[in-house]
Amino acid sequence: MCGREFSFPPAFIAHVNKLGKKDGVAAEFVKLGGTKMGEPAEYRVIVDRISHEVEYYRGYLKHAVLEGTYVINNPFWWTADDKYFNYSVASKLGIAIPKTVLLPQKGYPSDVDINSESLRNLMYPMDWDGLLDYVGRPAILKPFSGGGWKHVYKVHNKEELLEAYDKTSPYCMTLQEFIDFGLYVRCFTFGKTDILPVAYDPKERKYLVEHDYLSKELGARVVKDAQTINLALGYEMNTIEFAIKDGVPYAIDFLNPAPDFERDRITEFYFEQVVEKMSRLVIDRALHGNIANTWPRWEEMLGIGAAAGFTGAPRAALAAQSAPSGTAKR
């Protein structure tokens, strides 16, 4: 399921058909024309690269999960997730995160009836100087949920912050510490734990084929931190960005569940690896995938929910997990 992509989808489908033939696994573009309740799932696995932009696709994918389809990535969690929550979870899991503040929106959509009473819980005026003192100067102002480097501003003082903030309606924004990095890495991730770190120039937005970019020790920490993030959030197709300062990898961005896989942008070298790894991932999930594994594990990892149960899990599942050893679970 894809949108304005040209090189990855056909190459991926062709490679899945080549590798999966011996196991009876075939791939094609998803075709939809209205979805009836209770309609059986037509696909064992769906790779979702566009539902964040097409509401009907997101609704269909939730239905598909209900009917037994393994969706990469989980549409329920993707709908609920945001970057500020990501930072909070990762910080609690011991990942280095820039200091971050969630900000009230500057304005609201015109079709939403918001007045002063709607905002009675907000403090006014805002302590902009105090917020800048917390994150430091310069700072980065960016959406709490978004991507593609849209609506991102680097500000050096209160005046620049307010000028940029005035342009952000109706988006909810975060104010974040600027990491003056020496190295920058974008990690392709497949199946949560298969991590491919790549040197990346964020100023030119360009991937670099430099195999000795990271030391052995730093590379190992980047891989470990990326695995921890993906396990917590449940993403099997993702990119995770680290800005490295004084030997410390700060996780900057890791809500990219439909990462850019286009050949001309990720280089021919990494394109071939992405196609290979994604093809083998979906073939494995078609043959052996357990839908329960698509859900995030942050509750379990933070000790506030049962393993694979979640704080809102069905009563029967929680009862089964708490049953004494040797007790039949039904």
Side-chain angles (χ1 to χ4, degrees):
M1 182 176 283
C2 63
R4 290 173 292 177
E5 298 183 85
F6 303 98
S7 57
F8 174 72
F12 168 68
I13 288 174
H15 203 55
V16 170
N17 286 330
K18 176 183 176 181
L19 296 180
K21 186 175 182 179
K22 64 183 177 62
D23 292 311
V25 177
E28 65 180 26
F29 289 103
V30 175
K31 298 296 183 184
L32 302 173
T35 305
K36 303 171 185 175
M37 285 194 301
E39 185 175 312
E42 186 176 353
Y43 301 100
R44 179 71 183 94
V45 178
I46 294 177
V47 177
D48 170 24
R49 300 185 52 75
I50 189 60
S51 77
H52 57 296
E53 295 181 352
V54 182
E55 209 166 14
Y56 166 56
Y57 291 167
R58 182 61 59 86
Y60 165 76
L61 289 171
K62 292 177 181 178
H63 164 85
V65 171
L66 188 64
E67 296 298 326
T69 299
Y70 193 107
V71 178
I72 301 173
N73 286 294
N74 185 310
F76 294 94
W77 177 244
W78 191 352
T79 300
D81 202 9
D82 66 72
K83 294 188 176 185
Y84 182 73
F85 179 78
N86 285 179
Y87 294 134
S88 300
V89 168
S91 179
K92 285 183 176 293
L93 291 171
I95 310 296
I97 299 294
K99 296 176 182 176
T100 307
V101 176
L102 182 65
L103 298 175
Q105 289 152 262
K106 170 61 180 180
Y108 301 85
S110 58
D111 60 346
V112 178
D113 184 18
I114 296 291
N115 57 33
S116 59
E117 292 182 350
S118 306
L119 305 175
R120 69 178 69 193
N121 298 98
L122 293 181
M123 293 170 51
Y124 186 84
M126 293 272 291
D127 182 10
W128 294 106
D129 287 313
L131 296 179
L132 280 170
D133 288 344
Y134 171 71
V135 301
R137 301 170 178 81
I140 300 294
L141 181 69
K142 63 184 182 180
F144 98 124
S145 184
W149 299 87
K150 298 175 184 176
H151 312 293
V152 177
Y153 305 89
K154 184 178 180 180
V155 299
H156 296 81
N157 51 49
K158 177 181 175 181
E159 290 70 31
E160 289 185 6
L161 170 58
L162 292 178
E163 181 182 358
Y165 179 71
D166 284 344
K167 302 174 184 177
T168 62
S169 175
Y171 305 106
C172 186
M173 306 292 287
T174 59
L175 184 65
Q176 188 172 75
E177 174 186 7
F178 172 71
I179 303 299
D180 190 11
F181 58 87
L183 301 172
Y184 200 96
V185 177
R186 177 173 279 185
C187 296
F188 291 115
T189 68
F190 313 93
K192 302 178 187 175
T193 57
D194 185 359
I195 310 298
L196 179 61
V198 180
Y200 187 76
D201 183 345
K203 296 175 183 176
E204 298 294 328
R205 302 183 191 178
K206 183 178 179 181
Y207 288 85
L208 308 172
V209 182
E210 296 184 16
H211 302 303
D212 298 323
Y213 189 66
L214 300 177
S215 68
K216 182 178 179 180
E217 294 76 15
L218 186 55
R221 175 168 175 181
V222 164
V223 168
K224 181 177 181 295
D225 286 354
Q227 290 173 333
T228 299
I229 288 169
N230 276 326
L231 287 168
L233 302 177
Y235 293 126
E236 296 198 283
M237 175 178 64
N238 196 10
T239 52
I240 299 176
E241 297 180 18
F242 292 93
I244 301 170
K245 178 182 179 181
D246 299 330
V248 178
Y250 292 85
I252 298 293
D253 184 17
F254 37 100
L255 179 56
N256 298 298
D260 185 0
F261 283 164
E262 284 297 280
R263 177 189 274 113
D264 63 347
R265 290 190 288 270
I266 68 174
T267 77
E268 182 68 29
F269 179 82
Y270 289 116
F271 180 78
E272 291 181 0
Q273 294 200 52
V274 164
V275 170
E276 177 73 18
K277 288 177 177 291
M278 281 299 302
S279 297
R280 293 191 179 278
L281 171 65
V282 299
I283 290 170
D284 175 77
R285 298 306 187 258
L287 297 172
H288 311 295
N290 180 346
I291 294 176
N293 292 336
T294 68
W295 288 89
R297 293 177 52 198
W298 60 268
E299 292 172 295
E300 170 195 343
M301 294 171 72
L302 293 175
I304 61 174
F310 320 111
T311 55
R315 186 179 305 168
L318 293 178
Q321 290 168 3
S322 61
S325 177
T327 301
K329 300 177 183 179
R330 305 179 67 179

